[in-house]
Amino acid sequence: MATDVTSKFQNPDFLPIAQPPDFHPQVVVSPSHDGLHFWQFMVAGSIAGSIEHMAMFPVDTVKTQMQALGSCPIKSVGIREALRSIMKTEGVKGLYRGIGAMGLGAGPAHAVYFSVYETSKKFLSRGNPNNSVAHAASGVMATVASDAVFTPMDMVKQRLQLSSSPYKGVGDCVRRVLKEEGFRAFYASYRTTVLMNAPFTAVHFATYEAAKKGLMEVSPENASDESWVVHATAGAAAGALAAALTTPLDVVKTQLQCQVSASLSI
């Protein structure tokens, strides 16, 4: 039985069909991630977090000495003066004092952070990838979990970063704190840390997702959810805004973590 194929295909001669002059193909950017598994989020987050903290550790040392009351010998809050003081008293190695504690804490903490964030976002978004409330809530949940992992090593790091630190290294600091102050000393700043990092993370991720979406809408023909330029630009904007809002609590956290160390050095 013959079949009339011309009834199914309106262009039986297979000639190219001309498009109207105002035709523009629609660019659809998938809001979903690339299908990473739970363990892959943990590994990726751990590597990214460790590299970030290690690269910025000298800046973190300067910040800690500026924030810790009386820790800087010349008692100045200026970046240049604090950096000059560290270089004069300890040299370049002074900028990296305590980096071992950072290495031990940053990897596990960021593994927990990103895995909890991605899992929570997937659950709370409920099919709506542009839900800013879900992004913010997921960030808060991730912060509470990761801070519980990172706070003990963060305290050790802060005390080792001080120019007046009485500790010889990570192991010595951990042993002496356990012996002289007890286990609770490792979590003395936990509540303040959560109070600081929870709004920081909420603002950071909500701003990050919104900025990323806005950047892709500005130039949809070049849009890509995996573009490093989009991630970097959105991340920089989000981090700057979140840091500006939470720096006062960061000062409180630093002084809580270093107060005993400062008293021992008098």
Side-chain angles (χ1 to χ4, degrees):
M1 179 177 180
T3 303
D4 184 8
V5 295
T6 59
S7 63
K8 295 182 179 180
F9 299 93
Q10 300 300 319
N11 189 13
D13 296 325
F14 300 102
L15 297 175
I17 300 175
Q19 300 292 349
D22 59 346
F23 174 78
H24 297 286
Q26 182 179 6
V27 177
V28 179
V29 180
S30 174
S32 62
H33 288 274
D34 54 359
L36 294 179
H37 296 289
F38 184 82
W39 69 269
Q40 291 173 315
F41 281 124
M42 295 187 70
V43 173
S46 178
I47 294 174
S50 297
I51 292 175
E52 170 204 352
H53 284 295
M54 297 297 182
M56 298 302 297
F57 195 83
V59 177
D60 186 65
T61 298
V62 174
K63 175 183 73 73
T64 297
Q65 294 207 17
M66 291 171 64
Q67 291 178 338
L69 183 62
S71 66
C72 190
I74 58 177
K75 299 182 180 180
S76 173
V77 296
I79 297 176
R80 182 179 300 177
E81 290 79 6
L83 179 59
R84 184 183 297 118
S85 174
I86 295 171
M87 295 298 293
K88 181 179 180 180
T89 57
E90 299 183 73
V92 176
K93 67 178 183 180
L95 295 172
Y96 291 92
R97 183 176 171 87
I99 196 171
M102 174 65 76
L104 291 172
H110 279 78
V112 171
Y113 188 98
F114 283 99
S115 59
V116 171
Y117 174 74
E118 293 294 342
T119 302
S120 301
K121 187 174 76 169
K122 181 179 179 181
F123 175 77
L124 296 175
S125 295
R126 298 186 182 280
N128 180 12
N130 299 321
N131 189 337
S132 298
V133 175
H135 298 156
S138 299
V140 172
M141 294 172 67
T143 293
V144 173
S146 66
D147 282 347
V149 176
F150 186 62
T151 294
M153 282 296 103
D154 187 42
M155 184 275 288
V156 174
K157 172 192 73 71
Q158 296 273 54
R159 294 193 181 193
L160 289 173
Q161 284 178 318
L162 299 181
S163 61
S164 58
S165 176
Y167 307 106
K168 298 178 181 179
V170 176
D172 180 56
C173 182
V174 172
R175 286 191 297 270
R176 289 182 57 178
V177 170
L178 281 173
K179 181 180 179 180
E180 299 169 7
E181 304 170 50
F183 182 77
R184 294 182 61 182
F186 289 101
Y187 284 92
S189 67
Y190 179 66
R191 285 179 293 182
T192 303
T193 301
V194 172
L195 286 175
M196 176 189 72
N197 285 340
F200 177 96
T201 307
V203 172
H204 183 275
F205 275 106
T207 305
Y208 170 75
E209 298 287 356
K212 187 172 67 173
K213 180 175 180 291
L215 288 170
M216 290 189 294
E217 289 179 349
V218 169
S219 182
E221 65 277 5
N222 298 319
S224 173
D225 190 44
E226 303 303 323
S227 171
W228 69 270
V229 176
V230 172
H231 285 294
T233 305
L241 177 60
L245 295 176
T246 58
T247 292
L249 283 174
D250 188 42
V251 175
V252 174
K253 175 184 76 73
T254 298
Q255 295 198 16
L256 282 173
Q257 290 178 331
C258 299
Q259 59 185 345
V260 177
S261 177
S263 64
L264 288 174
S265 62
I266 297 177

